[in-house]
Amino acid sequence: MERIEVGVLGATGMVGQQFVSRLARHPWFNLTWLAASERSEGKTYRGVAPWRLATPIPAASAERVVEGCVPGRGPRVVFSGLDASVAGDIEGAFAAAGHIVVSNARNFRMDPLVPLLIPEVNADHLEVLPEQRAAKGWSGAIVTNPNCSTIVLAMALAPLRVFDIRSVVVSTMQAVSGAGYPGVPSLDILGNVVPYIGGEEEKMQTETLKILGTDGGRAPHSAVVSAHTNRVPVIDGHTMTVSVDLAAKPSPADVIAALRLFSGRPQELNLPTAPQPPIVMMEEPNRPQPRLDADLGCGMAVSVGRVRPCPVLQTRFVALGHNTVRGAAGAAILNAELMHAQGLLG
Amino acid sequence: MERIEVGVLGATGMVGQQFVSRLARHPWFNLTWLAASERSEGKTYRGVAPWRLATPIPAASAERVVEGCVPGRGPRVVFSGLDASVAGDIEGAFAAAGHIVVSNARNFRMDPLVPLLIPEVNADHLEVLPEQRAAKGWSGAIVTNPNCSTIVLAMALAPLRVFDIRSVVVSTMQAVSGAGYPGVPSLDILGNVVPYIGGEEEKMQTETLKILGTDGGRAPHSAVVSAHTNRVPVIDGHTMTVSVDLAAKPSPADVIAALRLFSGRPQELNLPTAPQPPIVMMEEPNRPQPRLDADLGCGMAVSVGRVRPCPVLQTRFVALGHNTVRGAAGAAILNAELMHAQGLLG
Amino acid sequence: MERIEVGVLGATGMVGQQFVSRLARHPWFNLTWLAASERSEGKTYRGVAPWRLATPIPAASAERVVEGCVPGRGPRVVFSGLDASVAGDIEGAFAAAGHIVVSNARNFRMDPLVPLLIPEVNADHLEVLPEQRAAKGWSGAIVTNPNCSTIVLAMALAPLRVFDIRSVVVSTMQAVSGAGYPGVPSLDILGNVVPYIGGEEEKMQTETLKILGTDGGRAPHSAVVSAHTNRVPVIDGHTMTVSVDLAAKPSPADVIAALRLFSGRPQELNLPTAPQPPIVMMEEPNRPQPRLDADLGCGMAVSVGRVRPCPVLQTRFVALGHNTVRGAAGAAILNAELMHAQGLLG
Amino acid sequence: MERIEVGVLGATGMVGQQFVSRLARHPWFNLTWLAASERSEGKTYRGVAPWRLATPIPAASAERVVEGCVPGRGPRVVFSGLDASVAGDIEGAFAAAGHIVVSNARNFRMDPLVPLLIPEVNADHLEVLPEQRAAKGWSGAIVTNPNCSTIVLAMALAPLRVFDIRSVVVSTMQAVSGAGYPGVPSLDILGNVVPYIGGEEEKMQTETLKILGTDGGRAPHSAVVSAHTNRVPVIDGHTMTVSVDLAAKPSPADVIAALRLFSGRPQELNLPTAPQPPIVMMEEPNRPQPRLDADLGCGMAVSVGRVRPCPVLQTRFVALGHNTVRGAAGAAILNAELMHAQGLLG
């Protein structure tokens, strides 16, 4: 099989580096184009990317000359790790110029005509793409993935839709890598908790419902979500406690079975980076833990433990996912894999 | 005023060390007796206490010879920092022998005839003491303080009773000092979250209701509490996110006013270690934080921030308290101060 | 006694905040003037200082209007917490205009006519001030304190000068607060060590010798210092292991006695913030430790432990000091106290 | 090639778990026997090993029944992760009974007839084995690997022997995993440094010289080593600053070249777990760092950076290695690979 050429917008940032790293040996995608802001243009990637990952810069990208984010240049398929301050304009221009933009930025997530995609959860939301093209006048398209904490919650809730989710109270303990680099100052977080992450609660409360919704995401799920978001001194992995009101009143065993049996299109299609299973159920009473479990499924699985009755809302549990893999670049790459398998990148 | 002689049961443990440290310069209490297990008996306190506090061992206690926990020995008033595995028998024997036992142990907390006391919240619960003496046949008495996470929650909820509390979902981020010494292994918690603390959720769910209850604690409050308890890499200070269903549907401003104006018997009586005010309201959006705020009111105040509507339960906020001060030895000492002010130690 | 009016240059930065906090209740100095960069001018201190300390903004400073760093304005005595990028010009201009500048910045530290002062160690270096004034044409003066890691080393070495110091190999483990705010990104330091701090090794290697030198600091000490500087995930307190070649070959007991008996002008003059004693000797084999010992002497003492023979250089030990107190604002304030006691602020 | 049957003594401890994990897919060794103390005997490994690794228990070992440490039972080749309190007797008895004991315990390390082996450094030390057998009357043999901090230092010094090493001052910053489980209490190390590790300095000072010595280790190297050992809040990876007096006075470039070109028997023989290269030279000024670099070479490489002149001793640098891989189980397995390649396990 010939590999599909892909590019990365915002290649020098933290999410961009994750794209570059994770695409280095991808069986389907061939990374041939790196774009960033004007001040990086014309320089080698090694020279301008403040590489922060433990794995070394992939040789194929290190000496590549970075280009500007100019629509029409670069391959048809581009991943976007752009900062939200510029992603809106640039991604729109790329889509208008015929590119398929697979974005991690938040700008288009809540646009009713843009899929907010988790392949295991709402693969059918890709159905809005024709309408997106028509309404926006784009020859390309934009597809987004959720915020890094939202995706963990949405993955854990998806199998519970059968029990009729009515409300959710979630409290997160989020890793510092979710804030990028330099991100959270060490003076703020060493031996500390910061009980606030700007904009994060709103994202969890709205994105989750669009993801679990119907009609391509245009009909949000009817549940109500209350999110408390906190930063803790952890490198990778967002942990969250979840209380959920399930109208069908399933037993913990029912809930565990639903989570354990959950599977979706990526598993069915055996997509290259699909975790098998997507949700790992932990039996030990003190798991999941971010340092031990964030890498499950190569960082693409969500782990769930401590399923038990909630005296207030009905069921409660702990969920965990890797925020920079399943919650960012890995999510976008799985989105692109699904689109390719469905002939949408052709 | 002549100071009252007091002793400490379990003086060599972590809570015992806190008692020794905090009683060193107390204006009302004079620490003259240290008791611990048999293997410490007859040795100097300095020689047997594995001192873990940043402040040095008080000179007056360092060379004191440790005695056994023998009822009848030592002063009438004894603070108990005993481990739960032995506290039940020993504290009972001391009460029977005429001692007033002011205990931090969990063993008698849920006994309907033993006050689970927070002086600001339920000073009236001391009213059960005569009945306690009669029913148990004790010439002394036992008074307890709550678990270290419970007390933070109960302090924050107490001013909200006027709004008719119906249910509470709380998720904690608890400091490692709450587990004593050696306590939590560093391999478990460095850069990690452990979403489980044995027995802690049950304590928060039951103790809170007794504390907020009536009839000396025998009629628990009718609310329902659901607790998620987590350990995080913080030294001191338990932080918690709280969603609470208040039937009276107060606005955030109403809730803030109630918390800010809250005051109790310790403030009224101007007890030596009473925090003024007992609840510190934080205005910054990212506070309270354990490293910055746990020491407020010399560790005796509870701080609350981020009061805002909860789309699921009605109101939500963040609360924080110092777990080894307000949540342990400091709580017991304030209990004793209240009892003394009310003539119950005479 | 009437208090002396003082001001702070660079009042909004991290060191500036330390000055504001520590001067709030000073018995000799009355803080009446806060200066910062143009963009803060005309606004209240509370409005522009990103307050990062656990203690609240002192009431007297909170509502004070910040002025520009204009020479001639403000009191005669000013403390400088200016950033090195601007401190050179501004401090020089203030000294020229008649101000006594007591500076924590590095710009003038190695100027042969500017005292690099540690009151316990080289109080006599103030003797260069008349020559400073003459040579620079200043009606005021500049006095500096050392870098935050240098001061710990120099304090520990000062009592050992009697044993003829020939060479020193020091390896530091430095707290993140030494890098200011936002300073060290949490992604760099959580669960990690960074074995490099830009410019720090050079400062330790040169400043130490000037401090221990003679002729007002113009004749540096003849020892050779080799410094390895490392950042570790600690909030406050720089710890360092030291191997030192002492030609007189003292025993560990001799060295311990010299350190324990060490005292200087601040102790003699009983200056308000002088630690008593300036060096705290630790007897436990695993001390000093930053979390337990950095606050000794209200953060102004240096603690030393583990004095033992070094098979390579002769003697070795561990030293620790509080980097933002003894290593920054606290050092400058003690310098000013010494100057006042010697009639140099009059 | 038929795989060689091997067993593990002390299989349930932390080092034992590392053996079990790392042997699970070894191309040469087939783990068929797990032995531990009497109280584990007869139970499944899963049931008695308090598994602490992020990777799951290997399926082949999970249900295996643990046996007692009885000489004569189990395969000829056994790895020992026994605690030092029992390793002396048990390992000796196994060697007497004909087993080849490849041990991580410290008990026999300094025995002049027992190789303290680092295959890259002193493969020739295996030459003492015939004499060991003769002198001890063993039909088997014992081979040991160094302490976890020693091995990093010895690897970094080995290529510098050509420059005539005269003395070394090393200061370590060691990970908590080096202390086993539960090991270091979190209260001791969170946000802290502990400047003492019992017995560690002596091991570094003596083991290093035996390793670098001649005549099968019986003639220790003539250099003098001074070690300062410190514990820091890092999970895996011992970092150390090293000042070394090299009589040949090589330039930093010479030193870098010697380190970069270093290679040994494992690389020559292409042993399965030999790192290529054994020493990774870092060019960035702030590397190596434990969180980013401890896993280089699958945890078997030592990384070195910041090579520069030392004004006191001649040359200085930073070295880092993975303490539980290169410093424990991985070291022993590489030892066994070398022995097998040399026909010593036959």
Side-chain angles (χ1 to χ4, degrees):
Chain A
M1 184 174 101
E2 201 169 339
R3 291 196 299 162
I4 296 163
E5 290 203 8
V6 299
V8 173
L9 296 169
T12 58
M14 283 301 286
V15 176
Q17 292 180 27
Q18 293 273 359
F19 277 124
V20 170
S21 175
R22 300 183 69 81
L23 289 168
R25 303 181 187 189
H26 197 279
W28 291 0
F29 302 134
N30 183 18
L31 177 59
T32 61
W33 191 71
L34 301 174
S37 66
E38 283 179 13
R39 71 167 181 280
S40 299
E41 212 176 331
K43 299 175 186 155
T44 65
Y45 185 64
R46 183 196 296 280
V48 292
W51 194 258
R52 296 297 316 156
L53 307 183
T55 52
I57 303 195
S61 292
E63 302 309 325
R64 192 176 296 283
V65 173
V66 174
E67 301 196 22
C69 292
V70 182
R73 287 204 204 149
R76 180 150 191 258
V77 178
V78 291
F79 292 96
S80 167
L82 289 167
D83 189 77
S85 60
V86 298
D89 289 347
I90 297 178
E91 292 179 6
F94 269 75
H99 295 274
I100 308 284
V101 182
V102 185
S103 172
N104 182 62
R106 72 160 185 263
N107 307 58
F108 286 98
R109 281 185 196 148
M110 294 306 295
D111 185 314
L113 294 179
V114 173
L116 182 51
L117 188 65
I118 304 177
E120 285 91 343
V121 175
N122 60 1
D124 60 297
H125 286 199
L126 286 170
E127 75 193 26
V128 301
L129 286 184
E131 196 172 335
Q132 177 191 106
R133 284 186 171 112
K136 309 273 189 186
W138 291 343
S139 52
I142 296 181
V143 169
T144 64
N145 60 266
N147 165 272
C148 56
S149 50
T150 303
I151 202 166
V152 178
L153 179 64
M155 285 278 285
L157 291 178
L160 309 184
R161 283 181 289 190
V162 298
F163 301 123
D164 192 358
I165 304 168
R166 288 199 292 210
S167 62
V168 179
V169 176
V170 57
S171 185
T172 69
M173 293 166 281
Q174 299 185 220
V176 296
S177 61
Y181 186 84
V184 183
S186 53
L187 269 176
D188 283 345
I189 202 66
L190 266 176
N192 202 16
V193 167
V194 179
Y196 175 71
I197 302 173
E200 194 83 354
E201 296 176 348
E202 294 73 10
K203 288 179 203 165
M204 290 191 81
Q205 294 176 178
T206 56
E207 293 183 9
T208 304
L209 303 181
K210 176 174 176 182
I211 292 162
L212 299 179
T214 51
D215 189 20
R218 282 167 296 195
H221 193 284
S222 62
V224 179
V225 177
S226 172
H228 301 258
T229 58
N230 306 283
R231 190 76 70 192
V232 293
V234 164
I235 291 289
D236 288 316
H238 288 354
T239 311
M240 53 196 70
T241 64
V242 184
S243 279
V244 54
D245 188 4
L246 299 170
K249 304 204 178 303
S251 68
D254 294 338
V255 171
I256 289 169
L259 290 161
R260 196 186 294 282
L261 296 173
F262 179 65
S263 190
R265 292 287 289 156
Q267 288 73 34
E268 204 178 302
L269 296 166
N270 206 19
L271 299 180
T273 64
Q276 300 277 7
I279 295 179
V280 176
M281 295 304 297
M282 314 295 295
E283 292 177 8
E284 299 85 343
N286 61 356
R287 301 283 277 269
Q289 296 176 13
R291 201 165 66 68
L292 298 181
D293 302 317
D295 285 334
L296 286 169
C298 295
M300 289 298 288
V302 165
S303 47
V304 174
R306 302 200 70 211
V307 177
R308 61 205 193 284
C310 176
V312 172
L313 287 190
Q314 201 273 329
T315 288
R316 53 184 167 166
F317 56 85
V318 176
L320 165 72
H322 195 301
N323 53 299
T324 70
V325 180
R326 186 72 209 207
I333 292 172
L334 188 64
N335 283 354
E337 293 173 2
L338 175 68
M339 293 175 75
H340 179 57
Q342 300 197 344
L344 294 170
L345 299 187
Chain B
M1 184 173 102
E2 202 171 337
R3 292 196 299 161
I4 296 163
E5 290 204 7
V6 299
V8 173
L9 296 170
T12 58
M14 283 301 286
V15 176
Q17 293 180 27
Q18 295 273 359
F19 276 124
V20 170
S21 174
R22 299 183 70 79
L23 289 168
R25 301 181 189 192
H26 197 280
W28 292 0
F29 303 133
N30 183 19
L31 178 58
T32 60
W33 191 71
L34 302 173
S37 65
E38 283 178 15
R39 70 166 181 281
S40 300
E41 213 176 331
K43 299 175 186 155
T44 66
Y45 185 63
R46 182 196 297 281
V48 292
W51 194 258
R52 297 296 317 155
L53 307 183
T55 52
I57 302 195
S61 292
E63 304 308 325
R64 193 177 294 284
V65 173
V66 174
E67 301 197 24
C69 292
V70 181
R73 288 203 202 151
R76 181 151 191 256
V77 178
V78 291
F79 292 96
S80 167
L82 290 168
D83 190 77
S85 61
V86 297
D89 288 349
I90 297 178
E91 292 179 5
F94 269 75
H99 295 273
I100 309 284
V101 182
V102 185
S103 172
N104 181 62
R106 71 161 186 265
N107 306 59
F108 286 98
R109 282 184 196 148
M110 295 306 294
D111 185 314
L113 294 179
V114 173
L116 182 51
L117 188 67
I118 304 178
E120 286 91 343
V121 175
N122 60 2
D124 59 298
H125 286 199
L126 287 170
E127 75 192 26
V128 302
L129 286 183
E131 195 171 337
Q132 178 192 105
R133 285 187 171 112
K136 308 272 188 188
W138 293 343
S139 52
I142 296 180
V143 169
T144 64
N145 60 265
N147 167 272
C148 56
S149 50
T150 303
I151 201 166
V152 179
L153 179 65
M155 284 279 285
L157 291 178
L160 309 183
R161 282 180 291 190
V162 296
F163 302 122
D164 191 359
I165 304 167
R166 288 200 291 212
S167 61
V168 179
V169 175
V170 57
S171 185
T172 68
M173 293 166 281
Q174 299 184 219
V176 297
S177 61
Y181 186 83
V184 183
S186 53
L187 270 175
D188 283 345
I189 201 69
L190 265 177
N192 203 16
V193 167
V194 178
Y196 175 72
I197 302 173
E200 194 83 354
E201 296 175 349
E202 294 73 10
K203 288 179 204 164
M204 290 190 81
Q205 294 176 178
T206 55
E207 292 182 10
T208 305
L209 303 181
K210 175 173 177 181
I211 293 162
L212 299 179
T214 50
D215 188 21
R218 282 166 296 196
H221 194 282
S222 62
V224 179
V225 177
S226 171
H228 302 257
T229 57
N230 306 282
R231 190 76 69 191
V232 293
V234 164
I235 291 289
D236 288 317
H238 288 355
T239 312
M240 52 196 70
T241 64
V242 183
S243 280
V244 54
D245 187 5
L246 298 171
K249 303 203 178 305
S251 69
D254 294 338
V255 171
I256 290 169
L259 289 162
R260 195 186 296 280
L261 296 173
F262 180 67
S263 189
R265 292 286 289 156
Q267 288 73 35
E268 204 177 302
L269 296 166
N270 206 20
L271 300 180
T273 65
Q276 299 278 8
I279 295 180
V280 176
M281 295 304 298
M282 313 295 294
E283 291 176 8
E284 300 86 343
N286 61 356
R287 301 282 278 269
Q289 297 176 14
R291 201 164 66 68
L292 299 181
D293 302 317
D295 285 334
L296 286 169
C298 296
M300 289 299 288
V302 165
S303 48
V304 174
R306 301 201 69 211
V307 176
R308 61 205 194 283
C310 176
V312 171
L313 287 190
Q314 202 275 330
T315 288
R316 52 185 167 167
F317 57 85
V318 176
L320 164 73
H322 195 301
N323 53 297
T324 70
V325 179
R326 186 73 209 206
I333 292 172
L334 189 63
N335 283 354
E337 292 173 3
L338 175 67
M339 293 175 76
H340 179 57
Q342 300 196 342
L344 295 170
L345 299 187
Chain C
M1 187 173 100
E2 202 170 337
R3 291 196 299 162
I4 298 164
E5 290 203 8
V6 299
V8 173
L9 297 169
T12 57
M14 283 300 286
V15 176
Q17 292 180 26
Q18 294 272 359
F19 277 124
V20 170
S21 174
R22 298 182 71 78
L23 289 168
R25 302 183 188 187
H26 197 279
W28 291 0
F29 303 134
N30 183 17
L31 178 59
T32 60
W33 191 70
L34 301 174
S37 65
E38 283 178 15
R39 69 166 182 280
S40 299
E41 213 175 330
K43 299 174 186 155
T44 66
Y45 185 64
R46 183 196 297 280
V48 291
W51 194 257
R52 298 294 318 154
L53 307 183
T55 51
I57 303 195
S61 293
E63 303 309 325
R64 193 177 294 284
V65 174
V66 175
E67 301 197 22
C69 292
V70 181
R73 287 202 205 151
R76 180 150 191 258
V77 178
V78 290
F79 292 95
S80 167
L82 289 167
D83 189 77
S85 60
V86 298
D89 289 348
I90 297 178
E91 292 179 5
F94 269 74
H99 295 274
I100 309 283
V101 182
V102 186
S103 172
N104 181 62
R106 70 160 186 264
N107 307 60
F108 286 97
R109 282 184 196 149
M110 294 306 295
D111 186 313
L113 294 178
V114 174
L116 182 51
L117 189 65
I118 304 178
E120 284 90 343
V121 175
N122 61 2
D124 59 298
H125 286 200
L126 287 170
E127 74 193 28
V128 301
L129 286 184
E131 197 173 334
Q132 178 192 104
R133 284 185 172 115
K136 309 271 189 190
W138 291 343
S139 53
I142 297 181
V143 169
T144 63
N145 60 265
N147 164 273
C148 56
S149 51
T150 303
I151 202 166
V152 179
L153 179 65
M155 286 278 285
L157 290 178
L160 309 184
R161 283 181 290 191
V162 298
F163 301 123
D164 191 0
I165 304 169
R166 287 199 294 212
S167 62
V168 180
V169 175
V170 57
S171 185
T172 69
M173 293 166 281
Q174 299 184 220
V176 297
S177 60
Y181 186 84
V184 183
S186 53
L187 269 175
D188 283 345
I189 202 66
L190 265 177
N192 202 16
V193 167
V194 178
Y196 177 71
I197 301 173
E200 193 84 356
E201 296 176 350
E202 294 74 11
K203 287 179 204 163
M204 291 190 81
Q205 295 176 179
T206 56
E207 293 182 9
T208 304
L209 303 182
K210 176 174 177 182
I211 293 162
L212 298 179
T214 51
D215 190 20
R218 282 166 297 195
H221 194 283
S222 63
V224 180
V225 177
S226 171
H228 302 257
T229 57
N230 305 284
R231 190 76 69 193
V232 293
V234 165
I235 290 289
D236 288 318
H238 288 354
T239 311
M240 53 195 70
T241 64
V242 183
S243 279
V244 54
D245 188 5
L246 299 171
K249 302 203 177 307
S251 69
D254 294 337
V255 171
I256 289 168
L259 290 162
R260 195 186 295 282
L261 296 173
F262 180 66
S263 188
R265 293 286 290 157
Q267 287 73 35
E268 206 177 303
L269 297 166
N270 207 18
L271 300 181
T273 64
Q276 298 279 8
I279 296 180
V280 176
M281 296 304 298
M282 314 294 294
E283 292 176 8
E284 300 85 343
N286 60 357
R287 300 285 276 269
Q289 297 177 13
R291 202 166 64 70
L292 298 182
D293 301 318
D295 285 333
L296 286 169
C298 296
M300 290 297 287
V302 165
S303 48
V304 174
R306 300 202 71 211
V307 177
R308 61 205 195 282
C310 176
V312 171
L313 287 190
Q314 204 274 328
T315 289
R316 52 185 166 167
F317 56 85
V318 176
L320 163 72
H322 195 301
N323 53 298
T324 70
V325 180
R326 186 73 209 207
I333 292 171
L334 188 63
N335 284 354
E337 292 173 2
L338 175 68
M339 293 175 75
H340 179 57
Q342 301 197 343
L344 295 170
L345 299 187
Chain D
M1 185 173 99
E2 201 170 337
R3 291 197 298 161
I4 298 163
E5 289 203 7
V6 299
V8 172
L9 297 169
T12 57
M14 283 300 286
V15 176
Q17 292 180 26
Q18 294 271 0
F19 277 123
V20 169
S21 174
R22 298 182 70 80
L23 290 167
R25 302 181 189 190
H26 197 280
W28 292 0
F29 303 133
N30 182 18
L31 178 58
T32 60
W33 190 71
L34 302 174
S37 66
E38 282 179 14
R39 70 167 182 279
S40 299
E41 214 176 328
K43 299 176 185 155
T44 66
Y45 185 63
R46 182 197 298 280
V48 291
W51 194 257
R52 295 295 318 156
L53 307 182
T55 52
I57 303 195
S61 293
E63 304 308 325
R64 191 176 295 283
V65 174
V66 175
E67 302 196 22
C69 292
V70 182
R73 287 204 204 148
R76 180 149 190 257
V77 178
V78 290
F79 291 96
S80 166
L82 289 167
D83 190 77
S85 60
V86 297
D89 289 348
I90 297 178
E91 292 179 7
F94 270 74
H99 295 274
I100 309 283
V101 181
V102 185
S103 172
N104 181 62
R106 71 160 186 265
N107 307 58
F108 285 98
R109 281 184 196 151
M110 294 306 295
D111 185 314
L113 295 179
V114 173
L116 182 51
L117 189 66
I118 305 178
E120 284 91 343
V121 175
N122 61 2
D124 59 298
H125 285 198
L126 287 170
E127 74 193 25
V128 302
L129 287 183
E131 197 171 335
Q132 178 192 104
R133 284 185 171 114
K136 309 272 191 188
W138 291 344
S139 53
I142 297 180
V143 169
T144 63
N145 59 265
N147 165 272
C148 56
S149 51
T150 303
I151 201 164
V152 179
L153 178 65
M155 285 279 284
L157 290 177
L160 309 183
R161 282 181 290 189
V162 297
F163 301 123
D164 192 359
I165 303 168
R166 287 199 293 211
S167 62
V168 180
V169 175
V170 57
S171 186
T172 68
M173 293 166 280
Q174 300 185 218
V176 296
S177 60
Y181 186 85
V184 183
S186 54
L187 269 175
D188 283 345
I189 202 65
L190 265 176
N192 202 17
V193 167
V194 179
Y196 176 72
I197 302 173
E200 193 84 355
E201 296 176 350
E202 294 74 11
K203 288 179 203 163
M204 291 191 81
Q205 295 177 178
T206 55
E207 293 183 8
T208 304
L209 302 181
K210 176 175 177 181
I211 293 163
L212 298 178
T214 51
D215 189 22
R218 282 166 296 195
H221 193 283
S222 62
V224 179
V225 177
S226 172
H228 302 257
T229 57
N230 305 284
R231 190 75 70 191
V232 293
V234 164
I235 291 289
D236 288 318
H238 288 355
T239 311
M240 53 195 71
T241 64
V242 183
S243 280
V244 55
D245 187 4
L246 299 171
K249 303 204 176 304
S251 69
D254 294 337
V255 171
I256 289 169
L259 290 162
R260 195 185 296 283
L261 295 173
F262 180 66
S263 189
R265 293 287 290 156
Q267 287 72 35
E268 205 178 303
L269 296 166
N270 207 18
L271 299 180
T273 65
Q276 298 279 7
I279 295 179
V280 176
M281 295 304 297
M282 314 295 293
E283 292 176 8
E284 300 84 344
N286 61 356
R287 300 284 275 270
Q289 296 176 14
R291 202 166 63 70
L292 298 181
D293 302 317
D295 285 334
L296 286 169
C298 296
M300 290 297 288
V302 165
S303 47
V304 174
R306 302 202 69 213
V307 177
R308 61 205 195 283
C310 176
V312 171
L313 287 190
Q314 203 274 328
T315 288
R316 52 184 168 168
F317 57 84
V318 176
L320 164 71
H322 195 302
N323 54 297
T324 69
V325 180
R326 186 73 209 206
I333 293 172
L334 189 63
N335 283 355
E337 292 173 3
L338 174 68
M339 293 175 75
H340 180 56
Q342 300 197 343
L344 294 170
L345 299 187

